[in-house]
Amino acid sequence: MKLLSRARATADTMRDRLVWQGASLLLAYPDDGMSERLDIVDELLSHLSGTPAALLGQTAAALRSCSTMAAAARYVETFDMRRRATMYLTYWTAGDTRNRGREMLAFATVYRQAGVEPPGAEAPDHLPVVLEFAATVDPDAGRRLLSEHRVPLDVLRGALAEIGSPYQHAVAAVCATLPATTGQQSRRAQCLADSGPPTESVGLQPFTLTVPPRRAEGG
């Protein structure tokens, strides 16, 4: 029974890593590499089934249906122009710049403890970064980071669903790999959704990403 249980846990972890990698690629800024990333997602989906696969497939199909330029414009409008749709997870949990810097340092520390440097081109709490770390470096540590930030993930998913964004499905696929939301978490998510995240922003600092960093100003 122990061997069977261990084998099942290993299979579940592998499935979740595929979901996290697929979501990381889909939630990346659409640049000239978008088509190649979508091909990788298609390959990942060939090894998945069930709800997460269907959800990732919906986001992938939506991205394939438009040009890179249109997808990039929609990405900026979705994630840069709406505070509630931010993918910086600590933006929801820290009330001031100093606290947020400390929380981002905690992400960076987890990465270093797993033997990699946080990517220099993106903050360590950016959701695609966290997902790629969970998928390719340390699934246990990555799952803990995602689970600890389940409330921000639920707020993000809700904000994307409100505007009918196809990115909502990729975030929902990630949520499907985590423990069910508790009543307390649901209430906290609703409170954050109503009040919005704090207004301060903090830059940070490099593991090598296959997803592109966000654009520099004017880029």
Side-chain angles (χ1 to χ4, degrees):
M1 284 297 292
K2 284 187 178 180
L3 286 176
L4 183 59
S5 178
R6 192 174 302 130
R8 185 177 296 115
T10 299
D12 289 346
T13 297
M14 180 55 67
R15 177 203 62 211
D16 291 347
R17 293 177 76 167
L18 294 174
V19 173
W20 297 333
Q21 183 67 83
S24 178
L25 294 169
L26 291 171
L27 292 169
Y29 174 73
D31 62 3
D32 291 340
M34 183 178 77
S35 179
E36 182 179 353
R37 290 196 299 276
L38 289 174
D39 289 342
I40 296 173
V41 171
D42 285 345
E43 174 61 24
L44 294 173
L45 290 176
S46 72
H47 301 285
L48 288 168
S49 61
T51 298
L55 291 167
L56 293 176
Q58 289 183 69
T59 302
L63 290 175
R64 281 203 183 276
S65 70
C66 59
S67 68
T68 300
M69 184 177 297
R74 180 166 61 185
Y75 188 96
V76 170
E77 199 274 334
T78 299
F79 296 112
D80 292 0
M81 305 300 181
R82 291 182 172 87
R83 290 193 306 150
R84 286 178 58 199
T86 181
M87 286 197 286
Y88 292 99
L89 299 179
T90 66
Y91 196 52
W92 293 100
T93 57
D96 58 51
T97 299
R98 181 172 56 192
N99 285 344
R100 187 166 176 236
R102 187 182 304 123
E103 291 194 18
M104 285 197 289
L105 179 60
F107 276 79
T109 298
V110 171
Y111 298 159
R112 292 191 178 103
Q113 288 174 342
V116 295
E117 283 297 307
E122 185 55 271
D125 65 329
H126 194 232
L127 181 55
V129 174
V130 182
L131 289 169
E132 183 151 337
F133 170 77
T136 65
V137 179
D138 189 329
D140 293 331
R143 188 189 300 280
R144 283 195 299 274
L145 287 174
L146 292 168
S147 296
E148 288 167 2
H149 292 81
R150 178 59 189 267
V151 170
L153 286 172
D154 281 339
V155 176
L156 172 60
R157 179 179 57 175
L160 295 173
E162 266 187 27
I163 60 173
S165 169
Y167 289 110
Q168 67 176 292
H169 307 301
V171 178
V174 173
C175 291
T177 67
L178 304 175
T181 305
T182 65
Q184 183 179 22
Q185 287 174 322
S186 295
R187 290 188 293 274
R188 177 62 178 150
Q190 185 59 55
C191 181
L192 279 174
D194 292 340
S195 62
T199 57
E200 295 85 352
S201 61
V202 176
L204 233 221
Q205 281 56 37
F207 54 91
T208 299
L209 288 171
T210 59
V211 300
R214 292 158 67 85
R215 303 79 47 226
E217 288 297 322

